[in-house]
Amino acid sequence: MLLTLETAPAKLPVSMADVRQQLRIDGDDETAAMDRYLRVAVAAVDGRGALGRPMITQSWAQWVYNPTEVRVQMVPFQSLTSVEYYDSDGVLQTDTLSNYEAVGAGDRVWIRPKDGFEWPDQEDRPDAVKITYQAGYGDDPENVPEHVRQAILLLVTHMFEERMPVGKGMEMPWMVNDLLNMERVTWYA
């Protein structure tokens, strides 16, 4: 299975105002550094990062081979947006979305054809079917759990105050890991 980010989130889960308040900075001298640290912290946590799930609504695609049903890898799942497949001539086709359903809830959601429908005939290749869906806690930062947002702020604070590389074998600050562990989908090393 191949997993790709199709559309990035429109917003960050933490605002620059939140960062300024966390760091107790009023002036503009450090704006570029704070913005850079915020974006790096979000990237380290979001999607395939330490959290293992998307925060703000974003579009993901899973490419699979010869499915019966497909477990959604990026949760929380919001909606199925398309099902595409490579036909026997190797041409990417779009299937009728209403032929499919999402079943399950929470972190365990599967996509499958509705009763009376089947997956289309596909070319024999590892990325034969592309399932695209929306995932994340919601469209706004307030939808992201507060402890996840706080973990990002702590990571920004750590980068801002240390401003030096972390040594080999060192991990994220312990409190960041503890806060993220409350929401993680999979094990993170």
Side-chain angles (χ1 to χ4, degrees):
M1 179 202 63
L2 175 66
L3 184 65
T4 59
L5 176 64
E6 296 287 296
T7 306
K11 300 176 184 176
L12 293 173
V14 174
S15 71
M16 184 56 70
D18 293 334
V19 170
R20 286 181 180 287
Q21 183 179 14
Q22 171 75 18
L23 297 174
R24 298 182 182 142
I25 294 179
D26 294 327
D28 292 334
D29 293 347
E30 298 284 353
T31 300
M34 288 185 296
D35 182 64
R36 185 174 56 254
Y37 297 143
L38 174 57
R39 292 183 185 286
V40 168
V42 169
V45 171
D46 196 29
R48 284 185 240 173
L51 186 59
R53 61 174 68 217
M55 292 180 284
I56 301 291
T57 300
Q58 48 199 268
S59 180
W60 286 85
Q62 282 181 228
W63 296 84
V64 295
Y65 172 72
N66 197 21
T68 52
E69 60 182 19
V70 177
R71 182 167 181 191
V72 172
Q73 296 298 306
M74 283 294 167
V75 292
F77 174 82
Q78 293 179 2
S79 64
L80 179 64
T81 55
S82 71
V83 175
E84 298 171 278
Y85 64 98
Y86 284 101
D87 65 17
S88 58
D89 295 325
V91 177
L92 187 63
Q93 303 287 338
T94 301
D95 205 3
T96 304
L97 188 59
S98 61
N99 294 351
Y100 298 89
E101 63 184 351
V103 295
D107 293 344
R108 301 175 75 72
V109 176
W110 289 265
I111 305 299
R112 67 179 185 200
K114 290 180 180 175
D115 287 341
F117 295 96
E118 295 180 357
W119 294 99
D121 291 332
Q122 312 136 30
E123 183 178 26
D124 186 19
R125 55 189 287 170
D127 61 348
V129 176
K130 178 184 180 187
I131 298 169
T132 307
Y133 54 89
Q134 296 279 311
Y137 292 105
D139 296 338
D140 296 309
E142 296 77 32
N143 301 124
V144 177
E146 190 65 33
H147 53 278
V148 172
R149 296 176 67 225
Q150 185 61 39
I152 293 168
L153 287 171
L154 291 172
L155 193 52
V156 169
T157 302
H158 177 76
M159 288 187 279
F160 185 83
E161 290 177 355
E162 295 302 319
R163 296 188 187 222
M164 56 187 245
V166 176
K168 185 176 180 174
M170 301 208 36
E171 300 176 6
M172 279 189 192
W174 67 268
M175 191 171 195
V176 172
N177 273 326
D178 288 349
L179 291 169
L180 294 177
N181 279 338
M182 296 166 66
E183 290 293 319
R184 277 195 181 117
V185 176
T186 58
W187 181 81
Y188 172 78

